[in-house]
Amino acid sequence: MVSTSHDVEESWDDEFQQLVQTFPKDKSFTGMNLYFFQGFWCPSIVLKAVISCQKHFQAFDSDIIIATLPKCGTTWLKALTFSTLYRNQFARENNPLLTYNPHSLVRFIDYDFYFNDTCPDLENCTLYQPRLFSIHLPYASLPTSIKNSNCKIVYLCRNPMDTLISFWSFFSRLRGEGFEPVSLDGAFEMFCQGINEFGPFFDHVSGYWRASQEKSSKILFLQYEDLKEDITSHLKKLAMFLGVPFTEEEEKQGVVEEIAKICSFENMKDLEVNKKGVQTFGYPQETFLGKIKTYEIPREAFFRKAKVGDWSNYLTPSMVVRLEKLIQEKLENSGLTFKLFSKTSNDITSTE
Ligand code: A3P
């Protein structure tokens, strides 16, 4: 059960209604209403929260922010960053990931903290220190204090073909639970036009890519396919970036491999906590959204196939040609490339 765009919009006061009337509006292929705001398509359900966090969120220099587009591996990156950053704050056999979904351990600034509260108290809002948050906003729309402080951002992107299929499959799975996704043809068309949650896709990726090129000590730019190919070296890179490099002793003890294993898709999807129940977003406390219910997603929906190249089971040859052209056009001269297939047999290789 989730709050619908309609529920949310009904709860907006007159002043906010008037403000949003100045924004272009469309419907995403997920069935959610989107408003074009600051150059990106913001889901109506979180628009008010986005504006609040932009006004009020105060980053600490020590904060770590995980930034992603939905369906690019947010759940995985939350697990990896949480386990790496806080590894000395809990016993190895008691990793909270064994009993909590990653979305409970690393909360969204936009979808959680500001969802029901214009100005939440975030001084001591996370279980461990330093504070670790997550966000879907494009780089240009991040709260100013995130951009201007010394806090660090870990960005994870994924090739657009798998992102689209993961997105479309996720919302198709949630059909009737507040989402009414359109056919894959319709979804493909809208994705190519850039009309999807926090899209255009290429603007989101390029924004963080450029920022990471300019400020490499502030922004670590990661790609899902690279993590799938070699998780160990990327975990070491992540730990180094976070300022908590693995010691020689830890490496000898196999701590890196242990984290990779606990966060692996195979392990996480089979944990009791991830097989049942719903993940609640937003805090069910005093709410400016009035009668709006908290936002809930069945936990097992976050774990589908986790394959690189799964798009090849869905997209037609003409869709592939169009997306390939778009990739070329949008990323030309940027130095950024995507891996559409994997080299490892666990995933789908181009020769299959
Ligand atoms: P698929 O739909 O291709 O299977 P997000 O977490 O941003 O919502 O992204 C969801 C995607 O990440 C889904 O991809 C999901 O299966 C995959 N995923 C979830 N947990 C993962 C993990 N531990 N390792 C790798 N991929 C994972």
Side-chain angles (χ1 to χ4, degrees), residues 59-104:
F60 297 168
D61 285 339
S62 55
D63 286 347
I64 309 292
I65 316 283
I66 288 172
T68 54
L69 267 172
K71 313 326 293 171
C72 286
T74 317
T75 316
W76 190 19
L77 184 60
K78 284 185 175 188
L80 293 168
T81 312
F82 179 93
S83 301
T84 304
L85 186 63
Y86 300 138
R87 67 186 184 275
N88 294 323
Q89 299 184 45
F90 47 75
R92 276 161 70 177
E93 61 283 13
N94 287 336
N95 188 324
L97 276 177
L98 297 170
T99 39
Y100 292 94
N101 178 273
H103 294 290
S104 300

Side-chain angles (χ1 to χ4, degrees), residues 27-77:
K27 215 178 184 66
S28 147
F29 58 79
T30 64
M32 301 275 269
N33 284 341
L34 302 175
Y35 286 92
F36 196 65
F37 162 74
Q38 299 177 351
F40 76 100
W41 288 100
C42 187
S44 66
I45 193 165
V46 81
L47 181 61
K48 205 161 183 177
V50 163
I51 293 174
S52 297
C53 81
Q54 288 180 336
K55 260 194 209 150
H56 301 293
F57 181 77
Q58 281 307 319
F60 297 168
D61 285 339
S62 55
D63 286 347
I64 309 292
I65 316 283
I66 288 172
T68 54
L69 267 172
K71 313 326 293 171
C72 286
T74 317
T75 316
W76 190 19
L77 184 60

Side-chain angles (χ1 to χ4, degrees), residues 133-299:
F133 297 111
S134 164
I135 204 159
H136 281 321
L137 286 179
Y139 182 75
S141 290
L142 287 175
T144 316
S145 70
I146 294 186
K147 285 185 278 189
N148 292 350
S149 67
N150 288 328
C151 77
K152 291 185 176 180
I153 300 171
V154 186
Y155 183 73
L156 179 64
C157 69
R158 187 178 192 186
N159 80 56
M161 302 201 191
D162 281 324
T163 304
L164 166 63
I165 294 305
S166 181
F167 223 129
W168 180 73
S169 306
F170 180 77
F171 287 101
S172 298
R173 151 80 185 73
L174 299 178
R175 185 184 299 278
E177 298 189 48
F179 297 103
E180 289 308 324
V182 299
S183 65
L184 180 56
D185 281 358
F188 177 81
E189 187 54 44
M190 298 198 77
F191 187 81
C192 288
Q193 286 179 28
I195 308 173
N196 59 276
E197 284 77 353
F198 303 98
F201 172 91
F202 291 101
D203 290 0
H204 202 282
V205 174
S206 305
Y208 280 98
W209 172 249
R210 277 194 306 270
S212 73
Q213 303 289 99
E214 283 161 19
K215 304 176 193 176
S216 58
S217 58
K218 181 174 178 68
I219 305 168
L220 178 65
F221 189 96
L222 298 172
Q223 294 186 262
Y224 183 92
E225 297 77 19
D226 294 338
L227 264 56
K228 287 277 291 181
E229 207 169 283
D230 181 359
I231 189 60
T232 309
S233 75
H234 284 92
L235 264 176
K236 289 184 194 169
K237 197 171 168 181
L238 175 66
M240 187 75 85
F241 174 77
L242 297 173
V244 288
F246 292 105
T247 61
E248 242 175 69
E249 192 52 35
E250 282 180 311
E251 290 201 22
K252 259 193 233 148
Q253 287 174 4
V255 173
V256 188
E257 288 73 15
E258 202 173 281
I259 292 179
K261 193 169 170 205
I262 213 168
C263 299
S264 70
F265 177 74
E266 291 68 27
N267 180 60
M268 294 203 56
K269 84 169 177 2
D270 282 340
L271 291 173
E272 274 314 299
V273 63
N274 295 326
K275 286 202 285 196
K276 55 176 197 218
V278 290
Q279 188 59 33
T280 304
F281 294 93
Y283 282 150
Q285 55 201 18
E286 282 301 296
T287 163
F288 63 76
L289 293 173
K291 61 190 163 104
I292 298 307
K293 283 170 254 148
T294 308
Y295 190 68
E296 290 177 337
I297 303 279
R299 287 200 195 105

Side-chain angles (χ1 to χ4, degrees), residues 9 12-23 35:
E9 290 176 32
W12 288 340
D13 59 32
D14 290 348
E15 197 184 336
F16 200 71
Q17 296 274 8
Q18 272 176 7
L19 173 72
V20 299
Q21 267 172 25
T22 62
F23 305 152
Y35 286 92

